[in-house]
Amino acid sequence: MKHALHQLGEYVLLMKKTIGIPTRWSMFMKQLVREIYKLGVDSIWIVVIISVFIGTVIAIQISLNINSPLIPAFTIGYTTREIILLEFSSSIMCLILAGKVGSNIASELGTMRVTDQIDAIDMMGVNSANFLIFPKIIGMMLFIPVLVIFSMIMGIAGGMAASYISANMNPSAFEFGLQYYFNSYYIWYSIIKSVIYSFLITSISSYFGYSVKGGSLMVGKASTNSVVMSSIMILLADVILTHIMLT
């Protein structure tokens, strides 16, 4: 408990040091573009692949489990859409990104720490936390809505593809279910959740990487800890945000 409170205090102090107006906007913008490409654009491929396959599996499993004459055929499309919009494209996708993006950030900053690159930046009079971490946080928060939209589109496309290859589904009924009682607020709900999750992923991973003490073995440990803690905080935030925004 004492160790957890100590880490929480260090995290808060680091974020206080990180979040602020950059001293050199030209350098900040260059860093921001680089981080958007590295953390966001490079993650599109994994988002697309996972979303297509998960969307397909969700549709097939729903069709197998509610195959009853008492349940309308369009329920498969409706349920698939609700699962993808409400939970998969925001929470589950961000859990996956916590593994890819979070470990990347923690290992990068951890390596810079153990090789004294961060100390060298501090010695030059530069706020290393603001210079290194702030562009990562802003870049991921700016680009995460794009990843969420990609995930929604490809997840629904995967479900639609399943309706053509599965004997238990009717494509026209599936398409009707996708349009049935559509609530556009769910898209904004997922985007808002994902923006908060992206802050948690980048800030927590940055903390573990930036605070590495020791050699290269500790970099691997920091990377693992960042993924575990980011995932826990995403799940906790999911419960809180769902209660606040949907009830």
Side-chain angles (χ1 to χ4, degrees), residues 25-231:
W25 280 99
S26 58
M27 289 296 295
F28 173 76
M29 294 307 297
K30 289 179 182 178
Q31 281 285 96
L32 180 62
V33 172
R34 190 172 74 90
E35 298 298 345
I36 287 175
Y37 186 85
K38 183 174 65 175
L39 302 179
V41 177
D42 282 353
S43 298
I44 290 178
W45 65 272
I46 191 170
V47 169
V48 169
I49 292 172
I50 292 174
S51 297
V52 169
F53 284 106
I54 294 297
T56 305
V57 170
I58 288 173
I60 293 174
Q61 288 186 346
I62 292 173
S63 69
L64 293 174
N65 283 281
I66 64 171
N67 189 15
S68 169
L70 300 177
I71 301 175
F74 71 81
T75 305
I76 300 170
Y78 172 78
T79 308
T80 300
R81 184 199 72 200
E82 296 297 275
I83 292 173
I84 291 173
L85 294 188
L86 286 172
E87 200 62 24
F88 172 74
S89 293
S90 55
S91 302
I92 306 303
M93 189 53 62
C94 283
L95 284 173
I96 295 168
L97 290 176
K100 180 185 182 299
V101 175
S103 60
N104 180 285
I105 293 173
S107 59
E108 177 188 343
L109 292 176
T111 302
M112 293 183 71
R113 172 61 76 184
V114 299
T115 55
D116 298 326
Q117 295 180 55
I118 293 179
D119 293 333
I121 294 173
D122 288 330
M123 289 179 65
M124 290 188 293
V126 178
N127 183 347
S128 59
N130 181 267
F131 178 73
L132 295 172
I133 300 174
F134 196 47
K136 298 180 188 297
I137 294 175
I138 299 299
M140 195 61 187
M141 290 177 71
L142 287 175
F143 199 79
I144 196 70
V146 178
L147 296 179
V148 170
I149 297 299
F150 264 103
S151 178
M152 290 176 181
I153 293 172
M154 300 312 298
I156 291 174
M160 194 70 195
S163 70
Y164 284 93
I165 62 176
S166 175
N168 296 321
M169 285 185 275
N170 184 308
S172 59
F174 188 90
E175 184 177 348
F176 177 79
L178 291 177
Q179 302 173 43
Y180 180 74
Y181 198 61
F182 174 69
N183 188 349
S184 60
Y185 171 72
Y186 290 166
I187 295 178
W188 293 108
Y189 162 75
S190 291
I191 290 175
I192 291 169
K193 282 205 308 180
S194 65
V195 170
I196 295 172
Y197 297 157
S198 65
F199 173 81
L200 293 173
I201 293 170
T202 49
S203 63
I204 292 172
S205 301
S206 295
Y207 162 72
F208 280 102
Y210 191 87
S211 305
V212 166
K213 295 179 178 65
S216 57
L217 289 176
M218 298 306 294
V219 176
K221 184 178 179 181
S223 180
T224 302
N225 290 340
S226 70
V227 175
V228 172
M229 187 56 66
S230 296
S231 300

Side-chain angles (χ1 to χ4, degrees), residues 13-25:
L13 291 175
L14 178 61
M15 288 303 103
K16 183 179 178 181
K17 183 181 176 184
T18 299
I19 300 172
I21 299 174
T23 53
R24 296 184 61 183
W25 280 99

